[in-house]
Structure formats: C-alpha cells, structure tokens
C-alpha cells in the first residue's frame, strides 16, 4: 500500500504571508493531484501534475512535482482569508487501475485577516 | 450539469439499523468511488466501480456493500450500522484525462454526514 505523508498537518498564518505544504512518499506515482476542501463540501480538484519536475501555477498557487515523482509541494504566495480550507494531495500508482487515488492526511490552513 | 449528487446530506442511525447512501453523476464517467473521511485520516477508499456492472473492494470495505445500478448511479449500503461507521461519506466519479496513461481526475459529491449512536 502506498502512503502519502503531508506536512504540516495544521497551518495558521496571517493574511499576506507565504506558505508551503509538502506531500512525500517513498513510492513513485504516475500522477499527483491537489484538492481543496471547504467545510461541509466535497474536495475540489486544483491541479494534476504528471511529469517529474513539472511546475504548474494557478494564480497565487504554485504546484511542483518532484523529479523522481515521489513528492510534491504546494506554495501559496500572499495568502488570503479565502484560501482557508483543507488541502489534500492524492497520488495514482502507475500500476493501479481505474484511477484509484491514495490520499494524504490533509493540511488544515487558516488565514487570519 | 449537476456533477456528482449525493443523498441524504445528513443521517442519524441507531446501532444495527440499515441504510443506503445514494450517488449519481451526470458526466458520463465510467469509474465511480465511495470514500469515508475521518479527522486526521484523509479520505479512505471503501469500494470502487471501474465500469457499469463491476465493483471492487478498496482499503476499508468491511461493513459495507455497493451496487452499481447503471452508469450514472452507485449506491453504498450499511446493513447493520455500527458507531465506528460514524463518518462523512463522499462519492466520486472520474475520467481518464490521457489515453494510454493511468491519469484520472476525480470529481466529488458534497458528502453525507452519518452519525451512528
């Protein structure tokens, strides 16, 4: 069973600060995804990274897939209160069929005004 | 286009009662999934269905059964609810975004919050 470890588990920052969330594994993933979940709702897909070393930007969010495809990071620049939520990374094993995902435990981000 | 819908949104059961959680998607996806989410444990896969007519166990299948009624609908049944099944349940469906590669993107429903007393 592949495992994904996210850190930190909790992050409480002030508006305007930068932050990075990490997602690490000892296993190789064919792709890795980041989701954001708000209270009372289901996770919403933010990005999918596929190629080792790939960097994708979504406004103030920067996602990176490690060269060896075993780790990923999410960096938020100038965080805003609207960024508050649970961030989940999830990976797909290349040997896994039908899109089964392994999820990390999640990072709860709180951005204070 | 509603995406993935789930009913009910909230449910309280007594130990030993049974119930079925309903899920439907209108995106014509082949694969569907049921997860449970507990604090500090992320999302854990209960069952999945690769296509209409097939179902397979995930990480935590004990105490649950599923039915893939047709391409749109995938239901989760608790035959005899236990307090350990108190959780938030999410249904998801996925599409393969690159042919020939195991790269899928999942879309989630809003969840069912279940309490078993």
């Amino acid at each position: 069973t592949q495992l994904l470890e996210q850190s930190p588990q909790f992050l409480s920052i002030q508006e305007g600060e930068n932050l990075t969330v990490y997602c690490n594994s000892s296993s190789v993933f064919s792709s890795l995804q980041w989701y954001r979940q708000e209270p009372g709702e289901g996770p919403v897909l933010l990005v999918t990274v596929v190629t080792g070393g790939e960097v994708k930007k979504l406004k103030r969010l920067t996602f990176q897939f490690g060269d060896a495809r075993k780790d990923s990071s999410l960096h938020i620049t100038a965080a805003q209160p609207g960024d508050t939520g649970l961030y989940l990374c999830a990976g797909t094993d290349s040997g896994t069929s039908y899109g089964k995902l392994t999820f990390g435990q999640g990072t709860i981000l709180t951005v204070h005004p | 286009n509603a995406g993935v819908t789930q009913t009910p949104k909230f449910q309280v059961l007594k130990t030993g009662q049974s119930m079925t959680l309903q899920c439907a998607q209108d995106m014509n996806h082949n694969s569907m999934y049921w997860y449970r989410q507990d604090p500090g444990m992320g999302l854990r896969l209960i069952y999945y269905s690769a296509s209409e007519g097939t179902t397979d166990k995930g990480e935590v299948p004990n105490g649950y059964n599923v039915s893939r009624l047709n391409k749109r609908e995938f239901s989760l049944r608790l035959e005899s609810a236990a307090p350990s099944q108190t959780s938030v349940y999410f249904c998801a469906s996925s599409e393969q975004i690159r042919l020939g590669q195991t790269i899928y993107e999942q879309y989630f429903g809003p969840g069912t919050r279940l309490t078993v007393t």
Side-chain angles (χ1 to χ4, degrees):
Chain A
T1 302
Q2 293 186 309
L3 294 175
L4 273 170
E5 294 192 6
Q6 271 186 252
S7 62
Q9 192 174 354
F10 300 95
L11 202 48
S12 180
I13 62 172
Q14 294 296 126
E15 182 175 3
E17 293 183 5
N18 301 332
L19 66 111
T20 302
V21 178
Y22 299 93
C23 182
N24 295 295
S25 175
S26 58
S27 303
V28 175
F29 290 95
S30 62
S31 65
L32 199 136
Q33 297 170 345
W34 285 91
Y35 291 81
R36 178 168 169 262
Q37 184 179 14
E38 297 194 32
E41 299 181 7
V44 175
L45 179 65
L46 295 174
V47 76
T48 299
V49 286
V50 176
T51 306
E54 183 176 3
V55 177
K56 281 192 174 179
K57 293 193 175 186
L58 189 66
K59 297 184 181 178
R60 294 176 294 101
L61 279 61
T62 300
F63 305 87
Q64 186 161 9
F65 202 13
D67 291 341
R69 291 187 286 131
K70 292 183 179 181
D71 57 271
S72 181
S73 64
L74 157 62
H75 183 79
I76 301 179
T77 303
Q80 299 177 0
D83 295 326
T84 293
L86 172 66
Y87 289 82
L88 294 158
C89 65
T92 300
D93 176 3
S94 58
T96 299
S97 57
Y98 310 114
K100 286 194 297 178
L101 292 173
T102 298
F103 279 86
Q105 313 96 308
T107 296
I108 298 174
L109 171 65
T110 305
V111 182
H112 302 279
Chain B
N1 190 339
V4 179
T5 57
Q6 292 183 237
T7 56
K9 198 164 178 63
F10 300 94
Q11 184 71 50
V12 178
L13 292 177
K14 295 186 188 300
T15 297
Q17 287 185 319
S18 62
M19 79 160 295
T20 300
L21 281 64
Q22 306 288 351
C23 173
Q25 53 95 7
D26 62 2
M27 296 175 283
N28 202 37
H29 290 167
N30 284 319
S31 301
M32 297 185 72
Y33 315 81
W34 275 104
Y35 293 91
R36 60 177 289 172
Q37 185 175 39
D38 302 291
M41 302 189 74
L43 286 150
R44 293 182 292 169
L45 183 64
I46 304 171
Y47 270 92
Y48 70 100
S49 170
S51 60
E52 183 179 352
T54 68
T55 61
D56 282 288
K57 296 178 180 179
E59 183 185 353
V60 288
N62 291 345
Y64 305 95
N65 284 301
V66 291
S67 295
R68 183 74 182 268
L69 304 170
N70 47 55
K71 191 170 187 178
R72 290 187 66 248
E73 299 172 287
F74 188 36
S75 62
L76 178 71
R77 182 160 179 83
L78 286 69
E79 290 290 352
S80 179
S84 61
Q85 293 178 305
T86 293
S87 188
V88 183
Y89 291 86
F90 289 99
C91 176
S93 67
S94 75
E95 63 176 349
Q96 189 174 8
I97 63 170
R98 287 197 190 180
L99 291 177
Q101 292 183 279
T102 316
I103 303 170
Y104 291 72
E105 291 185 343
Q106 289 195 14
Y107 298 87
F108 286 80
T112 294
R113 281 137 193 87
L114 175 66
T115 302
V116 183
T117 61

